[in-house]
Amino acid sequence: MATPVPSPKFVLRGHKAAVHVATFIRRNERLVTGDSEGFVVLWDLTIMRPRAVWRAHANAILGIRGWGEDKLITHGRDHKLLVWKLAQEDESGLSTALPLDGVHVERRHPWVVHLLEVNAMNFCSFSACPLGGCQYSRFLGTLSEILIAVPNTLASESVDIYALPSQRRTHTVNSGGKNGMAMSLSLVHHQRRLTLIAAFENGCASVHQLTSEGSWLMTYKTQAHSQPVLSLDPRPDLKCFFTSGADAIIAKHPIPTAQQEIAKPFNPSERIIEEVDGTLEQEDSAPSSASKPGGPKAKSDNKGTMVEEWKHPRKITNTKHSGQQSLEVRSDGAIFATAGWDSKIRVYSCKTLKELAVLKWHKDGAYAVAFSDVGPETSQSAGTDVEADSGAAAPQPKDTIDVKRLSVRDRRVHRVKAAHWIAAGAKDGKEKKQS
């Protein structure tokens, strides 16, 4: 990098234990962080101060996500998934005493709306999406019903899907092999079909799609990692997803939507592999006959079409930095970031997997990273693969708001909502925020 390493725009101090998760809610006006002792802190990003602090779980927090303007979902190692009522008007009645003040300080809890007993033995956080098919967004919106994906209670390599608020289990998805525990999940609606993306302890990643008959079809499966996958995240346009693991591998995968997309059996020996600057780029050569000796296994569907379950990643890169987790793609689909065991936050190009920046500030291992979601209306690069490494800024729509005419507070709110923020938390219990 020709320019110096950027310094944090803000440093939020308050957690006593390691910050495990972070997420933006309410159109980026609030940042929620959770630590290894079960504490949740709701930060007001217009003033960079806490608005609510409470101990949500008796053990470490695995995941947090907002639901509309008035609900927050937390998932803890105490095998509980809780939905809290947390509207803006509820904040005034809650404590702002930070975890650093001690566990014995009296802190009032928000109202618990739903409680779901779930499996948390394998450190895998939940994933959520609206009940009906709609455009992918990290914000769940104000929908009254959502779906929750968590590891199965008895078989941790399988995944259960529950409906809220009914708390009814609607589906159980089997991984289709001895892949070990589920490590990371993403539940989305892809082309109006409910789709589960899952990654496992043996380094395998797979895509499962709910068919019109109500059964689950595995449309993609690969093992790009030699060690457990620690995190995954799809690009907002759902054209691909990315995985990072305990090894040094970062991989880019397709999200097949139908059997026809994987109905081209090929011989692995004919696959082209190129290595440029330490990056493995893979392309499938012309498909060969499925009956060819040594060719991959293929099965036939009801129409006699050859359907192959195994497919290779689009790109793989060896970053030479093991233990990258909490992978998250920015809302414009141009870049993604990871939090590393070596305490560094790394930013990559979604198109090339090239490392674009390394953010250094934390002294101990980094566990959490989160991007603000500015929405598709300000994310023109998502469908055109405009990359941050091209040397030119991504195109942005014309701002119709005259910022100079706004009050000081309104300027702060506008900046918080419109900027591409990245927040990172680490073992030192501090959260940094950059744009």
Side-chain angles (χ1 to χ4, degrees), residues 152-206:
N152 182 268
T153 305
L154 299 178
S156 56
E157 69 274 8
S158 299
V159 178
D160 287 335
I161 299 177
Y162 292 87
L164 287 179
S166 68
Q167 301 184 193
R168 180 176 58 90
R169 184 170 64 180
T170 59
H171 304 280
T172 296
V173 184
N174 297 317
S175 61
K178 295 182 179 180
N179 300 317
M181 297 185 295
M183 301 295 292
S184 187
L185 305 172
S186 182
L187 189 65
V188 298
H189 289 279
H190 191 20
Q191 296 192 2
R192 301 184 181 274
R193 292 266 179 105
L194 185 62
T195 303
L196 175 69
I197 308 171
F200 300 91
E201 188 179 12
N202 68 343
C204 176
S206 60

Side-chain angles (χ1 to χ4, degrees), residues 92-399:
S92 60
L94 301 176
S95 172
T96 57
L98 290 164
L100 280 174
D101 297 330
V103 298
H104 301 297
V105 177
E106 184 178 354
R107 298 179 179 89
R108 183 181 166 221
H109 289 68
W111 186 266
V112 177
V113 182
H114 306 292
L115 187 154
L116 201 61
E117 298 285 347
V118 296
N119 179 14
M121 289 296 293
N122 45 346
F123 299 93
C124 178
S125 176
F126 76 98
S127 179
C129 74
L131 180 63
C134 65
Q135 185 177 3
Y136 173 80
S137 173
R138 211 170 298 281
F139 292 132
L140 288 175
T142 57
L143 299 171
S144 59
E145 294 182 280
I146 62 172
L147 296 174
I148 297 282
V150 291
N152 182 268
T153 305
L154 299 178
S156 56
E157 69 274 8
S158 299
V159 178
D160 287 335
I161 299 177
Y162 292 87
L164 287 179
S166 68
Q167 301 184 193
R168 180 176 58 90
R169 184 170 64 180
T170 59
H171 304 280
T172 296
V173 184
N174 297 317
S175 61
K178 295 182 179 180
N179 300 317
M181 297 185 295
M183 301 295 292
S184 187
L185 305 172
S186 182
L187 189 65
V188 298
H189 289 279
H190 191 20
Q191 296 192 2
R192 301 184 181 274
R193 292 266 179 105
L194 185 62
T195 303
L196 175 69
I197 308 171
F200 300 91
E201 188 179 12
N202 68 343
C204 176
S206 60
V207 176
H208 308 257
Q209 187 180 79
L210 182 63
T211 66
S212 56
E213 293 78 20
S215 60
W216 286 88
L217 173 70
M218 182 186 295
T219 61
Y220 175 78
K221 184 178 180 182
T222 193
Q223 188 169 358
H225 299 268
S226 60
Q227 296 186 42
V229 179
L230 298 180
S231 58
L232 70 85
D233 198 36
R235 211 170 86 162
D237 58 11
L238 299 181
K239 290 183 178 179
C240 60
F241 71 98
F242 305 88
T243 57
S244 64
D247 54 13
I249 296 295
I250 296 285
K252 179 179 181 179
H253 310 265
I255 308 179
T257 58
Q259 292 181 348
Q260 288 77 11
E261 294 191 16
I262 55 171
K264 296 180 180 179
F266 63 94
N267 191 330
S269 63
E270 298 177 3
R271 188 162 47 90
I272 300 172
I273 303 178
E274 298 179 355
E275 184 169 355
V276 181
D277 297 329
T279 301
L280 297 176
E281 296 194 14
Q282 312 188 142
E283 296 180 359
D284 296 339
S285 60
S288 60
S289 172
S291 59
K292 191 173 181 178
K297 273 189 178 179
K299 66 179 182 180
S300 177
D301 64 5
N302 295 332
K303 298 180 180 179
T305 304
M306 297 305 295
V307 178
E308 181 189 325
E309 290 183 344
W310 193 271
K311 196 74 173 177
H312 294 274
R314 290 180 179 174
K315 288 181 183 292
I316 298 176
T317 181
N318 185 350
T319 66
K320 298 181 173 61
H321 304 290
S322 60
Q324 297 187 65
Q325 58 189 14
S326 189
L327 187 153
E328 186 162 311
V329 183
R330 198 170 70 175
S331 60
D332 62 358
I335 61 175
F336 65 89
T338 62
W341 291 348
D342 60 0
S343 77
K344 296 178 177 63
I345 306 301
R346 290 181 168 84
V347 181
Y348 297 91
S349 161
C350 283
K351 183 177 182 180
T352 65
L353 300 190
K354 178 183 177 182
E355 185 180 282
L356 305 178
V358 179
L359 308 180
K360 306 175 183 178
W361 189 82
H362 294 287
K363 304 301 180 184
D364 297 310
Y367 296 147
V369 66
F371 278 110
S372 60
D373 190 341
V374 299
E377 68 276 4
T378 57
S379 304
Q380 301 299 314
S381 61
T384 57
D385 273 334
V386 174
E387 296 299 317
D389 58 320
S390 62
Q396 296 293 331
K398 185 178 292 185
D399 192 356

Side-chain angles (χ1 to χ4, degrees), residues 32-100:
V32 189
T33 55
D35 64 29
S36 60
E37 292 184 347
F39 279 98
V40 170
V41 179
L42 182 71
W43 303 92
D44 185 339
L45 297 183
T46 61
I47 59 174
M48 300 299 161
R49 294 288 186 272
R51 285 291 191 184
V53 182
W54 74 97
R55 194 171 191 179
H57 296 272
N59 213 319
I61 292 180
L62 299 175
I64 299 177
R65 192 166 178 183
W67 180 4
E69 297 290 312
D70 61 346
K71 290 185 286 294
L72 184 73
I73 307 171
T74 63
H75 181 193
R77 280 276 291 159
D78 55 3
H79 304 283
K80 294 179 182 178
L81 187 143
L82 299 170
V83 181
W84 308 85
K85 182 180 180 299
L86 192 62
Q88 186 169 345
E89 56 268 22
D90 299 322
E91 296 175 0
S92 60
L94 301 176
S95 172
T96 57
L98 290 164
L100 280 174

